[in-house]
Amino acid sequence: NDDDHESISFIFPAPTNNLILYSSVDEITVLQPTINIFSSLYPDVRIEWHKLSSDEFEAQVRTEIPAGRGPDVLLGYSSLLPDIYKTMSTGIFTDLAPYMSNDPDYNPMDYYEGVMKGGQMYGKQYVLPLTFGINAFMTSKELLEKNGIDSESLKTWKGFYKACTVFHENNPGKALINYGVKDYYISNLFLASGFRMIDYENNNVSFDTERFHEVFDLCRMYCNPEVPENLPIGNEAFELKYEECFLATLGRSTPSVTISLFSLMRTMSQETPVFCPIPNIDGGFTADIVDFASIPVGSQNKLNAWRFIKVLLSDEIQYGDTTGGSTPHSAFSAGNPVRRESLSKQVYDQIDVQPEWAPCSPDDAKQYIEQADLITDAILYPAMIRKYVIDIMTPYITSNDGSNYDKQLAKLISTLELYKDE
């Protein structure tokens, strides 16, 4: 077994007394408490911290890391690199899988395996997700029952697709989603569906074309012949109650946003919220990677870099410092903790902070955690692929008869082939 052999033969890098960090001003709230903890554990390590503007940070990372220079730990986010998977395929990041499997302090069961999968390629862990979002929506039990839709059916793509079709037949002219019509729901439906489009491991354009067709059929179904208007933000509870839309977007669906909207729905419209991510091809759900960490192969301080990442993955950073007596706050400003324990505590914290006039049900917290457990993959979506999909498939959605689908699909595939080989 190659994995066993690698585990037995792996030797951690030699200790050094240095650690180089780069950050934009936006990452200071994450790095400062992490540095504090790291320095208490490893007081002999000198930390060289370069605080840069956002533009300087992105420019230096994009030029220095490929040249073997730059930080020992890359603390990244979705827009930092144009295509994280294309970058991973070049081999400029260290494989962290041997560190994870040989470090007794690292327990893979502490983290969401499906989210971690989003940083893997060629059987190696080049990127470690730190936080994630669930591109999810909510609807109501009452709306589903009124339209003869079983909530359990929403857990499969076929069931989800049929439910959207049934709602459209019963409510012609109504919106599919309360917000996102600017690009005909493409961002909402396509990104949340978990399509990767390019398989860099096998160097080809690869995706489920049948399901892809159905996604764009839904976009066309709800935007043809007339494009609906976005519904007012903040009125989700009543838009669902009066069937003005089938789904209300939760964005990246953090516990604070989701639990608050659930409790408002129960209180204001007396409806029962149903959490509704879009199923992916695996029968699970695909998360959105928000923050990640990696170690460039050019790092001269890999052991310290790994130890620093372990602090980033600790409950003290993922959930928050509990020593001050007040309610802890995650060091990360957006996204869910990838650490299971930290997310669970955050979710149940929300029940405690909801106002008396908008109480939250423990069922809501349970729904949220159950959905996180069903994540089978995670994606840091490349902006260019999203742009190509929107630009090329929009003419199909807006066409009079939809007869140009094959032409637009062929154009998209050829465009992605060129992009892959750039």
Side-chain angles (χ1 to χ4, degrees), residues 153-346:
S153 71
L154 300 176
K155 295 181 179 180
T156 67
W157 167 253
K158 290 298 182 184
F160 177 84
Y161 177 79
K162 182 179 179 181
C164 293
T165 303
V166 167
F167 180 82
H168 179 69
E169 292 170 350
N170 293 345
N171 303 273
K174 300 299 184 181
L176 173 60
I177 304 168
N178 68 318
Y179 192 79
V181 77
K182 183 179 179 181
D183 65 11
Y184 309 102
Y185 305 125
I186 297 175
S187 290
N188 274 326
L189 290 177
F190 172 74
L191 293 181
S193 297
F195 289 97
R196 284 181 174 265
M197 305 305 288
I198 297 175
D199 176 1
Y200 281 108
E201 293 187 357
N202 296 298
N203 194 34
N204 59 37
V205 175
S206 175
F207 56 96
D208 184 329
T209 53
E210 178 184 353
R211 194 165 64 98
F212 186 85
H213 198 166
E214 289 175 340
V215 165
F216 286 89
D217 279 349
L218 284 182
C219 295
R220 178 174 164 77
M221 182 189 301
Y222 277 88
C223 297
N224 196 289
E226 291 187 6
V227 179
E229 294 184 4
N230 283 321
L231 298 170
I233 290 292
N235 205 31
E236 295 88 350
F238 290 105
E239 303 294 357
L240 291 171
K241 181 180 180 69
Y242 298 118
E243 296 182 280
E244 293 298 323
C245 58
F246 180 50
L247 303 167
T249 182
L250 295 171
R252 276 179 168 161
S253 179
T254 55
S256 59
V257 171
T258 304
I259 300 299
S260 295
L261 287 175
F262 279 11
S263 60
L264 287 174
M265 177 185 281
R266 289 182 182 276
T267 306
M268 296 175 63
S269 61
Q270 284 78 53
E271 300 273 292
T272 309
V274 175
F275 195 52
C276 185
I278 298 181
N280 60 23
I281 194 171
D282 301 320
F285 304 101
T286 298
D288 175 27
I289 298 173
V290 180
D291 300 287
F292 69 88
S294 59
I295 302 177
V297 292
S299 166
Q300 299 300 305
N301 304 293
K302 288 188 174 69
L303 182 60
N304 286 331
W306 166 245
R307 289 169 171 171
F308 192 83
I309 289 176
K310 284 198 298 178
V311 177
L312 287 166
L313 290 169
S314 68
D315 189 52
E316 290 81 1
I317 298 300
Q318 295 267 307
Y319 172 58
D321 184 3
T322 59
T323 60
S326 59
T327 302
H329 294 284
S330 171
F332 294 98
S333 59
N336 295 304
V338 75
R339 190 180 184 94
R340 291 176 178 272
E341 167 196 16
S342 304
L343 178 59
S344 180
K345 290 193 291 188
Q346 278 193 12

Side-chain angles (χ1 to χ4, degrees), residues 385-402:
I385 293 182
R386 171 181 170 175
K387 183 179 187 302
Y388 289 142
V389 170
I390 292 175
D391 290 350
I392 295 173
M393 297 311 299
T394 291
Y396 165 66
I397 296 170
T398 58
S399 64
N400 289 328
D401 60 5

Side-chain angles (χ1 to χ4, degrees), residues 12 35 66 124 134 143 157 281 290 299 356 360 378 384 392:
F12 280 95
I35 288 172
K124 302 180 185 297
I134 306 174
L143 181 150
W157 167 253
I281 194 171
V290 180
S299 166
E356 290 184 7
C360 180
M384 281 307 300
I392 295 173

